[in-house]
Amino acid sequence: MKAMSTFLSETLLYGYCRDKFVCLPNTSNVLLKPNSLNYSLKSLPNAATFCRFNNLPTVKAAGKSVTDTSSVRTSESNDLLFRETFPLRRTKTEEGKIFIRLHKGKDEERWELSVGCDLPGKWIIHWGVTFSGDTGCEWDQPPNDMIPPGSVFIKDYAIETPLKKQSEGGAFHQVAIDIDPRSEIAAINFVLKDEETGSWYQHKGRDFKVPLVDYLQDDDNAIGTKTVFDFWPGALGQIPNMLVKAEASQSKVQDSKSDFKEPKQENRRLEGFYEELAIVKKVVTDTSVTVSVRKCHETAKNLLYLETDLPGDVVIHWGVCRAESKEWEIPAAPYPPETTVFKNKALRTLLKPKQGGNGCCELFTLEKEFTGFVFVLKLNDNTWMKCMGNDFYIPLLSSSSLTNEHSQVGSSDAPVPARAEEADHTVSYTDGIISEIRSLMSGISSERGQKTKTKAVQESILQEIEKLAAEAYSIFRSSSLTFMEEATAEPEISEPSPKVSSGTATGFEILCQGFNWESHKSGRWYMELKEKAADLSSLGFTVIWLPPPTESVSPEGYMPKDLYNLNCRYGTIDELKDVVNKFHEVGIKVLGDAVLNHRCAHFQNQNGVWNIFGGHLNWDDRAVVCDDPHFQGRGNKSSGDNFHAAPNIDHSQDFVRKDIKEWLCWLRREIGYDGWRLDFVRGFWGGYVKDYLDASEPYFSVGEYWDSLNYTYDEMDHNQDAHRQRIIDWINATNGFSGAFDVTTKGVLHSALERCEYWRLSDEKGKPPGVVGWWPSRAVTFIENHDTGSTQVQIAKAERDVYAAIIDKKVAMKIGPGHYEPPNGPQKWSFVMEGRDYKIWEAS
């Protein structure tokens, strides 16, 4: 009975506790040997508890002989061998509606958009507006006179407003947004969020859109395209509202008397509407099942007592197993009441209600020949309660041998079939660790925090400390800008260890980007690139960066879908292996382009949102961050900036990191990649990158932390310390295991060349203004040829029309129309070449 299907409710073990003592509670119907029963309790120094059973009346159930024990008492012949409490997480769905109404307000010259929900929760509307004629962005912040009280600004594009409960004890929540029909607003966009669960709710997988002009009526996600007679729920009951069209003549009269600017669209008009949309909310409840096992000395049988606080009718689907086998068997009678045989493979018993009505329980008598009790719980036809995706396993052993087998509780030889179930276990368990660390960080000391923990728990705590340290450092950085400068004189670079690589190689690599944005169009780019391998090697390139290899929604490869499908627009997996081998033959290392921040989904969830993945890594929405309203993930909050075109992956999930590490290692083995170019690393914490590099041991790694430079109005600031500090912070989070593209230098250099402002190429301390000025060994410059190296540049001149530098005391160069000649002293310089606005010398 290992192959048990799990359906709608994913319930699993996410932690457990142990206790030495248990008192067998009074129960109206337990299964014991037909003898008389006395019940008393005695705790001995060896932590054992005993009971004696005598003369119980016999009853019948399912054709089998059973025992009625309406009054149970314990005496001194029972050893407590085992007790476990298994917390269970149960997910159920609640159905409700979202109510949306556009109507005239109290002031006849203004309109009102009302949004309501009849499900209990802590509801927030995340909203923004689209202005007429604005084609650049659908979301913008509304005028102040539209914003309801209690709203919060979200960056520069949205507002969050709480929905208010309309009656005490009721579930209906509502918010009203005031609209001036003469404004420039073309549409209102919003999504709903339940802060109790962290879930986001959209319309047909997209944002809700309420069009206020005719030309937006045809959008797929537009709502409110017809006028209806509606009943609006709320504190005053169901009040009918006839929504009528605003007459065009009245609007014209009002507009002529107004000081407002006439909207750009001539077909602007407002119609009232009312719509109800179905909504499904997942509610997670925490319950538990407790199992205790005692040995009866008089009969030498095991007495297993199971109780749970699960509501309603609960059926236990159970069996027994023998030594060195967890195959299900049906034991001999007697069985508890309400027991039936299921397909000659297992028994099903309806658990009886506990006294007081809180949950249910049952007692099982098991022969000493069996070494294990296996079970699952069934709530209804579609809901099975399992242990981390497997059957619950309870050892039936003597107290002397119990210790050695105790770790098997709740496990089985079969692997966990559902990765998502493993995720719930991990999240719930680590949530407790995070809570403990946060308590320590806030200065709260407790004995619980000082207890000795297992090695596995200690490692988990260390990981959480790293995350919290990064969070604390980010908070500190926001209030006080600091940076670390690397000394100009660097220690000699030794060859990396053959076993463990830091991902920074020798520091003297010359990197070539082996593709451009159009390369995918040929369909055979790998083969075309293979023909150029020898030429690239002769030009001095030591590393080549190949395009993203995975199946992708976008042809360029940056919207990955199935990570293990390496047949893409650039060529097949076999062609990829071929070109990698060719570059290795000519002495060039190969970087794979790893897109780890986001991934495109294969399927929609029940709300129509694309956040369910297929392929080899069939993650569900727990792999998606919870704070991106477009994809409604059930993971934790993002550790970086969201990429809004695809679901952002939650790297704090252990199962996600495990899968990504396995994938990177597979690419190293299967394809032969020597390292990684990491896409959009601004989207997740650099500490996770450290974890991935530790696992995959790349020769070289470079992250793309692309960020906007600092501007005052339209003028680029000379001081770009804050910009390069963000890149430095990311490198530091990787423990210095990865370099990063020097985006700061690229942006400054472009401005200097385009505007003849070469003075920009030196910071206030006379150093290069980018990452290369602070941490040169981790700066991967990409001016044109993507050179990389750790040599510090000595800036010789930086003025309006000229920039000059000396590199490693071997090469001197200048760019710009201004004059510069390297000084001839102990070191002599020889002219090498020159062109328009540049000149190069080398040391004699």
Side-chain angles (χ1 to χ4, degrees):
M1 292 306 299
K2 292 183 180 180
M4 185 66 65
S5 300
T6 302
F7 297 95
L8 179 63
S9 177
E10 297 171 353
T11 51
L12 46 109
L13 169 68
Y14 62 93
Y16 58 85
C17 58
R18 295 187 174 95
D19 202 345
K20 288 186 177 180
F21 300 97
V22 63
C23 299
L24 186 64
N26 291 335
T27 177
S28 61
N29 204 353
V30 294
L31 177 61
L32 299 170
K33 184 179 178 180
N35 291 315
S36 62
L37 175 66
N38 295 315
Y39 183 66
S40 63
L41 183 66
K42 179 179 180 182
S43 294
L44 300 179
N46 63 356
T49 309
F50 301 98
C51 65
R52 175 168 294 140
F53 303 90
N54 294 297
N55 301 332
L56 289 179
T58 300
V59 298
K60 297 285 184 180
K64 303 293 183 179
S65 173
V66 297
T67 329
D68 182 18
T69 57
S70 56
S71 60
V72 181
R73 290 176 294 170
T74 303
S75 71
E76 301 179 358
S77 62
N78 242 20
D79 281 341
L80 173 65
L81 302 179
F82 171 88
R83 184 177 189 265
E84 291 280 358
T85 296
F86 303 94
L88 301 171
R89 175 159 288 184
R90 179 182 175 223
T91 302
K92 62 179 181 179
T93 58
E94 294 183 359
E95 296 182 356
K97 290 183 178 179
I98 296 175
F99 305 88
I100 306 168
R101 181 176 66 160
L102 180 66
H103 60 107
K104 282 191 175 181
K106 297 178 181 178
D107 182 350
E108 287 295 318
E109 293 186 355
R110 301 182 74 88
W111 286 65
E112 188 174 272
L113 175 67
S114 299
V115 179
C117 181
D118 63 359
L119 284 175
K122 188 176 180 181
W123 294 97
I124 296 287
I125 182 173
H126 181 96
W127 64 286
V129 300
T130 302
F131 287 101
S132 298
D134 186 358
T135 59
C137 180
E138 289 192 349
W139 281 67
D140 208 338
Q141 285 184 342
N144 290 335
D145 61 354
M146 283 186 67
I147 302 174
S151 299
V152 176
F153 288 85
I154 305 299
K155 297 184 178 179
D156 61 350
Y157 68 91
I159 298 289
E160 284 193 350
T161 305
L163 276 65
K164 293 183 179 180
K165 185 179 290 189
Q166 298 300 293
S167 64
E168 192 65 32
F172 185 73
H173 294 68
Q174 179 186 348
V175 67
I177 297 173
D178 191 52
I179 303 171
D180 190 326
R182 297 163 295 180
S183 70
E184 294 276 354
I185 297 173
I188 297 175
N189 310 289
F190 70 90
V191 291
L192 280 181
K193 180 183 180 182
D194 180 13
E195 290 200 328
E196 285 186 354
T197 62
S199 298
W200 297 84
Y201 297 87
Q202 294 176 295
H203 179 48
K204 299 179 180 179
R206 299 172 61 189
D207 305 334
F208 291 89
K209 179 188 286 290
V210 179
L212 304 181
V213 293
D214 289 347
Y215 72 93
L216 292 177
Q217 294 282 343
D218 295 332
D219 282 11
D220 291 339
N221 58 331
I223 55 177
T225 57
K226 57 186 178 181
T227 302
V228 295
F229 185 82
D230 74 281
F231 294 86
W232 184 253
L236 301 179
Q238 297 191 350
I239 304 175
N241 297 277
M242 178 64 75
L243 305 178
V244 295
K245 182 190 305 182
E247 297 184 11
S249 60
Q250 282 186 328
S251 298
K252 290 180 180 179
V253 172
Q254 292 171 353
D255 289 347
S256 65
K257 297 179 180 179
S258 173
D259 293 331
F260 284 91
K261 182 179 178 181
E262 190 71 25
K264 297 178 181 178
Q265 278 72 25
E266 297 299 331
N267 61 344
R268 181 183 185 86
R269 60 192 176 89
L270 285 184
E271 282 191 7
F273 71 85
Y274 170 78
E275 283 198 20
E276 296 180 1
L277 301 172
I279 184 175
V280 176
K281 176 180 177 179
K282 288 185 177 181
V283 180
V284 178
T285 56
D286 291 328
T287 55
S288 64
V289 58
T290 299
V291 181
S292 57
V293 180
R294 297 173 180 272
K295 176 73 70 175
C296 180
H297 289 289
E298 289 188 351
T299 64
K301 293 183 179 181
N302 290 308
L303 307 175
L304 184 145
Y305 178 72
L306 181 147
E307 62 178 337
T308 179
D309 56 355
L310 287 166
D313 293 337
V314 179
V315 172
I316 181 172
H317 190 96
W318 64 283
V320 293
C321 55
R322 302 177 186 272
E324 299 182 359
S325 171
K326 292 178 184 175
E327 297 295 329
W328 286 49
E329 295 184 23
I330 298 179
Y335 306 138
E338 302 294 332
T339 297
T340 59
V341 178
F342 177 73
K343 296 183 179 180
N344 292 322
K345 295 181 178 179
L347 297 170
R348 283 184 172 176
T349 300
L350 176 65
L351 301 182
K352 56 182 170 291
K354 294 171 62 177
Q355 290 183 354
N358 183 22
C360 48
C361 61
E362 191 56 84
L363 184 68
F364 302 83
T365 300
L366 305 169
E367 298 292 337
K368 63 180 180 179
E369 64 185 287
F370 302 115
T371 59
F373 180 85
V374 285
F375 71 94
V376 293
L377 299 175
K378 183 183 179 185
L379 301 187
N380 53 52
D381 290 340
N382 295 321
T383 307
W384 293 88
M385 313 289 280
K386 306 182 75 176
C387 176
M388 295 179 65
N390 299 314
D391 308 332
F392 287 92
Y393 172 77
I394 307 299
L396 303 175
L397 303 169
S398 64
S399 57
S400 61
S401 60
L402 185 62
T403 303
N404 294 331
E405 297 292 333
H406 198 66
S407 62
Q408 299 182 23
V409 177
S411 64
S412 77
D413 291 332
V416 179
R419 201 173 299 276
E421 294 173 340
E422 178 184 345
D424 261 354
H425 162 66
T426 302
V427 170
S428 302
Y429 185 54
T430 55
D431 279 348
I433 298 174
I434 294 173
S435 177
E436 181 177 348
I437 301 301
R438 288 192 186 276
S439 297
L440 293 174
M441 290 180 64
S442 61
I444 300 174
S445 178
S446 65
E447 280 190 22
R448 181 174 58 86
Q450 303 299 326
K451 288 182 179 179
T452 302
K453 297 176 173 63
T454 66
K455 181 178 179 181
V457 174
Q458 288 174 349
E459 291 177 351
S460 297
I461 291 175
L462 288 175
Q463 291 178 3
E464 298 304 330
I465 290 175
E466 288 182 347
K467 298 176 191 176
L468 294 172
E471 179 182 336
Y473 182 69
S474 176
I475 295 171
F476 173 75
R477 282 280 306 113
S478 65
S479 60
S480 175
L481 179 64
T482 62
F483 61 86
M484 58 173 282
E485 293 191 17
E486 181 175 87
T488 301
E490 296 183 342
E492 287 189 15
I493 299 173
S494 58
E495 288 296 320
S497 166
K499 176 62 178 175
V500 179
S501 171
S502 69
T504 57
T506 67
F508 294 95
E509 279 64 35
I510 301 177
L511 170 64
C512 174
Q513 181 174 353
F515 63 102
N516 60 45
W517 204 246
E518 309 294 326
S519 297
H520 65 87
K521 292 183 176 180
S522 72
R524 57 182 305 274
W525 180 249
Y526 290 148
M527 293 297 95
E528 293 178 25
L529 193 59
K530 177 183 175 182
E531 298 171 0
K532 306 177 188 295
D535 291 339
L536 290 171
S537 178
S538 67
L539 292 172
F541 290 107
T542 61
V543 181
I544 189 166
W545 155 24
L546 296 187
T550 60
E551 174 196 12
S552 171
V553 172
S554 65
E556 298 83 11
Y558 288 100
M559 299 283 281
K561 195 173 181 181
D562 184 353
L563 299 186
Y564 279 88
N565 182 355
L566 302 190
N567 295 313
C568 65
R569 302 291 183 90
Y570 298 100
T572 67
I573 183 174
D574 291 330
E575 290 171 342
L576 174 59
K577 293 179 182 179
D578 196 16
V579 71
V580 169
N581 289 334
K582 182 61 178 180
F583 277 112
H584 286 166
E585 289 176 7
V586 299
I588 294 180
K589 303 286 187 182
V590 181
L591 300 186
D593 201 327
V595 184
L596 306 180
N597 174 76
H598 51 272
R599 181 184 172 198
C600 293
H602 293 70
F603 311 106
Q604 294 171 290
N605 69 1
Q606 59 187 357
N607 293 325
V609 179
W610 291 91
N611 59 15
I612 307 298
F613 303 95
H616 183 76
L617 303 181
N618 55 340
W619 301 333
D620 66 4
D621 53 2
R622 278 168 285 202
V624 180
V625 299
C626 68
D627 52 352
D628 183 353
H630 303 285
F631 295 101
Q632 301 183 16
R634 290 197 294 133
N636 297 314
K637 288 186 177 181
S638 175
S639 57
D641 295 333
N642 281 330
F643 177 80
H644 293 295
N648 289 257
I649 300 304
D650 178 14
H651 293 263
S652 71
Q653 303 281 15
D654 283 355
F655 75 94
V656 168
R657 294 200 307 279
K658 176 178 178 290
D659 284 346
I660 290 178
K661 286 187 285 188
E662 289 178 355
W663 178 64
L664 292 173
C665 291
W666 176 77
L667 288 176
R668 291 270 277 139
R669 294 190 310 268
E670 187 72 14
I671 306 302
Y673 285 128
D674 301 291
W676 316 115
R677 180 267 184 185
L678 302 170
D679 181 66
F680 200 77
V681 297
R682 186 161 57 94
F684 57 104
W685 179 48
Y688 301 130
V689 174
K690 173 184 177 296
D691 198 16
Y692 301 145
L693 299 183
D694 280 341
S696 60
E697 297 185 352
Y699 170 81
F700 184 76
S701 171
V702 56
E704 181 216 28
Y705 196 102
W706 196 282
D707 199 3
S708 297
L709 273 73
N710 304 323
Y711 286 81
T712 300
Y713 303 109
D714 294 328
E715 183 75 16
M716 179 190 289
D717 295 344
H718 179 218
N719 187 329
Q720 295 293 333
D721 287 353
H723 183 270
R724 56 176 163 177
Q725 182 67 58
R726 292 191 287 272
I727 301 175
I728 292 286
D729 290 345
W730 180 83
I731 299 172
N732 199 48
T734 72
N735 205 28
F737 284 7
S738 178
F741 286 122
D742 193 348
V743 180
T744 314
T745 292
K746 177 185 184 296
V748 171
L749 183 63
H750 278 217
S751 181
L753 294 173
E754 290 167 4
R755 305 178 64 172
C756 195
E757 295 176 343
Y758 293 93
W759 51 266
R760 290 185 176 277
L761 301 181
S762 176
D763 67 12
E764 295 172 354
K765 295 186 178 182
K767 289 180 173 290
V771 177
V772 71
W774 281 359
W775 204 345
S777 64
R778 299 300 184 270
V780 180
T781 57
F782 64 119
I783 301 166
E784 292 295 342
N785 59 0
H786 300 265
D787 264 336
T788 181
S790 61
T791 303
Q792 177 67 49
V793 177
Q794 175 189 344
I795 299 174
K797 194 173 185 178
E799 298 177 358
R800 186 191 69 83
D801 60 351
V802 65
Y803 171 84
I806 298 174
I807 300 98
D808 200 25
K809 299 181 181 180
K810 297 177 181 177
V811 177
M813 54 76 65
K814 76 102 177 174
I815 53 177
H819 174 75
Y820 171 78
E821 292 285 339
N824 278 313
Q827 189 171 32
K828 304 297 182 181
W829 297 96
S830 301
F831 167 76
V832 176
M833 63 184 301
E834 66 179 330
R836 181 178 177 181
D837 293 342
Y838 79 89
K839 196 170 183 178
I840 299 174
W841 301 262
E842 65 179 359
S844 300

